[in-house]
Amino acid sequence: MRGQRFNRAVGWAMAVVVSLASAPPARAEENKPPSPRDRRMAWWREARFGMFIHWGLYAVPAGVWKGKKINGIGEWIMDRAKIPVDEYETLVPKFNPVRFDAKKWVSLAKKAGMKYIVLTSKHHDGFCLWDSKLTDYDIMATPFKRDILKELADECHRQKIRICWYHSIMDWHHPDQKANFPKYHEVLKGQIRELLTGYGTIGVMWFDGEWIKQWDREKGRQLAAFCRSIQPELVINNRVGKRHRADGDFGTPEQRIPAKGLGYDWETCMTMNGTWGFKTHDHNWKPTKDLLHKLVDIVSKGGNFLLNVGPTAEGLIPEPSVQRLREMGTWLAANGESVYGTGPSAFQRLPWGRCTTKPGKLYLHVFNWPADGKLIVPGLRSEVKKAYLLADGKRTALPTRRTDAGTVIDVPAAAPDAIDTVVVLEVAGTIEIAAALTGPRADGSYAFAAAAAETHGGTIRFESDKNTLGFWTNAKDWARWDFKLAKAGAFEVRLTYACEAGSDGSTFTVGVGKDLIEGKVEATGSWTKFTTKTVGTIRLAGPGPAKLSVRAKAKPKLAVMNLRSIELVPAKD
Ligand code: FHN
């Protein structure tokens, strides 16, 4: 390679210096025009599920070199087998993917329910799958002589699925990456310009190989600006920089799913077996059930799933991948509403599965079907208007009720879908979920806000405009808060409430378990004139998880009270 066979790319001077906001702006608030980032991310947040394609010369050896199986991921064979550049180049005339069919690939992705495709334009080995004017080390040097990116992009535009480019900053082939980085940097930008000008609208630039010592976050910021100077609506991943939260538009956890959401846009990329690039002897395929559960787990935490296929040197996507994608597509065809465009749920955990959300709707993904036909949703405070199976076209209502354990939904005896049955809960107003267990404040006191209450009964409910539990007209209705008692002790019980004259006098109990205290509601002047009253002192055993509850003792004249908060304040000995 040193010069004779593939001449070096000749870059050209191009300096674009634009300062980018280092941290992505906050998401658009209600009633404000979306920020530029929210605007360009809108399709990506809707999409939730994409296809990663790792394809290149490495598909030829397919994990075997000189008769020896090479450990590790297939696309790294040049490194793992320590193949010299000129020896690796002998793969070029062997790469002739005559069975490559862009229409088949794109149709497979669409039928799988995938909304975007990310193809390796150039991986670390430096080989370009498109006809680049800046190097001869590309697809036109192979017997195939067709621009793969062009065929795939054209088919994606035809089938209305976003086409995106993976591009490696690290380049094992180009001598200037190590010897003369400024020169290589120009080639890098020149080739990126080719990728962003020759193939129509591109959804994402998915950078990689950013860990090289010659790369830094400032170069990343400038490269992102350079890309957006060509395609302003382009989405760019955080590997354009150094995988920091403030680099690019989204985080890129790889082969893992964060325990919780990342608090900003993120996408897990994952292989279906153990390798990104094709290997003949990697049969470690994840079952479809596992892949679907991963998709739902990721989306329930606010992420996207970029699932990889590694086509063969002939241009075929391996049959085990095809089978899994078809099965995932069948499930998504019936349940896609619970994935696309959904957001995360605030449930800390659900014993039977996951939850995704849309305004006014919870999609309960039941992996483990309740044997007794009672699906319990702990911590849901919203009033349920209707429950039904998502896959049930008639949306037959399922009975629901509130109990101490949470919202109970009567479901069919057997799970309609063995992998993931989605039960939809339509709720009144915003989705309210009891916050995680409350712990003590610095002074050892505990505060229990109306917004965090778990209400029980058909009347009592949280009124966000008044920040209170209101409409408490049924004496059987009550409210509860889960919390963690740090230590046993005596506490003053203080209630902040409002009650108009004429409806005062209701008696109530408040406390934990059998440690209760009784109180009587006094008039405060109106339903919105709140005052804090000390009801008395209770002694609580502890430490440990506890449930504070407040209940009416008798039918109220009109309503028990508008309850804004309860406090437990350590009593002075
Ligand atoms: O080194 C690459 C690897 O080959 C593969 O492309 C993955 C996919 O995200 N990225 C890098 C490892 O983080």
Side-chain angles (χ1 to χ4, degrees):
M1 176 54 79
R2 304 282 173 229
Q4 74 280 22
R5 187 179 180 114
F6 294 94
N7 54 31
R8 287 293 162 262
V10 175
W12 61 82
M14 163 66 72
V16 175
V17 180
V18 172
S19 65
L20 268 183
S22 58
R27 286 184 186 229
E29 289 132 36
E30 296 303 318
N31 312 324
K32 270 188 181 173
S35 67
R37 182 165 175 274
D38 283 331
R39 192 180 58 238
R40 67 174 175 263
M41 292 297 285
W43 73 264
W44 189 90
R45 291 168 181 158
E46 172 71 27
R48 290 294 176 229
F49 189 29
M51 177 186 273
F52 213 168
I53 306 176
H54 275 71
W55 199 33
L57 295 183
Y58 41 79
V60 176
V64 179
W65 193 255
K66 294 183 177 169
K68 197 164 155 281
K69 286 182 179 177
I70 306 300
N71 284 335
I73 42 186
E75 70 285 1
W76 272 69
I77 192 164
M78 183 174 170
D79 173 87
R80 298 281 156 72
K82 300 192 182 350
I83 306 169
V85 170
D86 45 12
E87 204 175 327
Y88 190 81
E89 284 180 342
T90 63
L91 295 170
V92 174
K94 295 175 186 164
F95 188 64
N96 188 15
V98 293
R99 302 187 70 182
F100 168 62
D101 181 332
K103 187 173 181 188
K104 282 186 180 161
W105 284 18
V106 176
S107 301
L108 174 66
K110 277 199 81 167
K111 288 201 185 89
M114 295 165 146
K115 302 298 183 184
Y116 57 107
I117 290 176
V118 180
L119 170 72
T120 50
S121 60
K122 181 196 80 166
H123 206 265
H124 311 330
D125 63 3
F127 184 73
C128 302
L129 287 182
W130 80 99
D131 178 6
S132 172
K133 301 293 174 282
L134 296 172
T135 181
D136 296 334
Y137 187 53
D138 69 16
I139 192 70
M140 305 315 280
T142 71
F144 194 63
K145 294 193 189 316
R146 283 156 48 186
D147 186 323
I148 284 170
L149 271 63
K150 177 95 176 76
E151 294 185 26
L152 196 64
D154 288 351
E155 187 59 32
C156 282
H157 297 317
R158 230 186 321 274
Q159 296 202 37
K160 298 198 181 354
I161 185 169
R162 299 269 176 163
I163 183 66
C164 314
W165 305 134
Y166 165 109
H167 198 73
S168 178
I169 293 165
M170 177 170 74
D171 189 317
W172 296 329
H173 181 270
H174 201 296
D176 287 338
Q177 191 235 282
K178 286 192 173 156
N180 180 348
F181 193 78
K183 192 172 170 199
Y184 168 73
H185 196 177
E186 291 312 308
V187 173
L188 178 73
K189 288 196 291 188
Q191 291 196 318
I192 290 166
R193 175 178 287 282
E194 292 181 325
L195 297 176
L196 295 177
T197 52
Y199 304 95
T201 301
I202 303 304
V204 178
M205 274 308 289
W206 211 99
F207 289 102
D208 202 11
E210 83 293 341
W211 53 82
I212 55 173
K213 65 180 187 307
Q214 300 91 338
W215 198 253
D216 58 41
R217 295 184 68 193
E218 181 49 33
K219 288 188 180 74
R221 274 188 280 273
Q222 293 189 18
L223 183 58
F226 171 71
C227 291
R228 289 223 176 87
S229 71
I230 303 167
Q231 295 214 16
E233 294 304 298
L234 184 71
V235 173
I236 300 172
N237 74 344
N238 68 348
R239 300 186 188 186
V240 69
K242 287 285 190 181
R243 303 196 194 189
H244 286 248
R245 167 172 187 158
D247 295 339
D249 292 311
F250 63 92
T252 53
E254 179 172 318
Q255 300 284 39
R256 64 182 180 88
I257 301 171
K260 299 185 185 316
L262 296 185
Y264 54 100
D265 290 296
W266 59 280
E267 170 196 77
T268 281
C269 58
M270 198 174 276
T271 55
M272 255 192 238
N273 52 4
T275 176
W276 304 93
F278 178 67
K279 285 177 74 172
T280 48
H281 53 281
D282 183 324
H283 307 297
N284 182 23
W285 301 100
K286 297 175 180 75
T288 301
K289 174 177 180 179
D290 181 26
L291 294 170
L292 272 171
H293 284 180
K294 284 175 163 53
L295 170 64
V296 171
D297 183 31
I298 287 165
V299 176
S300 77
K301 295 167 178 172
N304 279 23
F305 191 22
L306 187 62
L307 184 56
N308 184 73
V309 296
T312 66
E314 284 185 297
L316 294 176
I317 293 175
E319 193 47 38
S321 297
V322 172
Q323 179 200 344
R324 283 153 179 78
L325 290 174
R326 285 191 179 134
E327 291 166 353
M328 293 181 84
T330 303
W331 184 87
L332 279 163
N335 300 285
E337 179 191 327
S338 66
V339 169
Y340 305 123
T342 60
S345 84
F347 288 110
Q348 297 302 316
R349 59 176 295 282
L350 290 166
W352 35 258
R354 299 293 183 271
C355 177
T356 55
T357 57
K358 279 178 182 170
K361 279 189 180 178
L362 293 104
Y363 298 97
L364 309 179
H365 295 266
V366 188
F367 299 165
N368 309 310
W369 197 251
D372 61 358
K374 290 179 176 44
L375 183 66
I376 297 174
V377 186
L380 177 63
R381 292 195 357 277
S382 304
E383 177 200 342
V384 174
K385 291 193 308 186
K386 185 175 182 182
Y388 54 90
L389 296 174
L390 179 58
D392 170 11
K394 298 194 189 73
R395 299 194 169 187
T396 314
L398 299 172
T400 66
R401 61 191 169 284
R402 272 202 185 291
T403 69
D404 279 9
T407 300
V408 177
I409 306 150
D410 292 332
V411 294
D417 186 304
I419 292 180
D420 174 4
T421 298
V422 181
V423 177
V424 184
L425 286 187
E426 291 182 357
V427 296
T430 52
I431 295 172
E432 306 288 348
I433 291 164
L437 291 182
T438 310
R441 294 184 291 198
D443 63 359
S445 65
Y446 297 83
F448 304 93
E454 193 176 294
T455 54
H456 295 263
T459 67
I460 189 172
R461 65 173 177 272
F462 178 60
E463 295 181 68
S464 50
D465 57 327
K466 299 189 185 72
N467 183 22
T468 184
L469 292 182
F471 295 98
W472 192 357
T473 55
N474 185 332
K476 291 198 183 87
D477 292 5
W478 56 289
R480 173 178 92 185
W481 292 263
D482 288 343
F483 73 107
K484 271 184 199 151
L485 186 64
K487 61 178 181 180
F491 294 89
E492 266 192 13
V493 180
R494 298 178 187 169
L495 267 64
T496 299
Y497 65 83
C499 180
E500 77 175 10
S503 184
D504 56 321
S506 296
T507 51
F508 60 89
T509 60
V510 56
V512 176
K514 293 188 175 41
D515 303 322
L516 297 174
I517 187 168
E518 190 168 307
K520 188 172 189 174
V521 175
E522 299 170 24
T524 64
S526 77
W527 289 117
T528 54
K529 196 169 180 338
F530 289 86
T531 186
T532 300
K533 302 273 183 197
T534 298
V535 181
T537 300
I538 51 173
R539 178 165 292 283
L540 299 180
K547 296 180 190 301
L548 177 83
S549 62
V550 59
R551 298 170 188 267
K553 284 198 74 173
K555 183 172 172 19
K557 294 171 192 157
L558 190 58
V560 179
M561 65 175 112
N562 277 357
L563 177 60
R564 174 163 285 173
S565 67
I566 296 178
E567 287 177 289
L568 296 179
V569 181
K572 293 179 179 51
D573 291 334

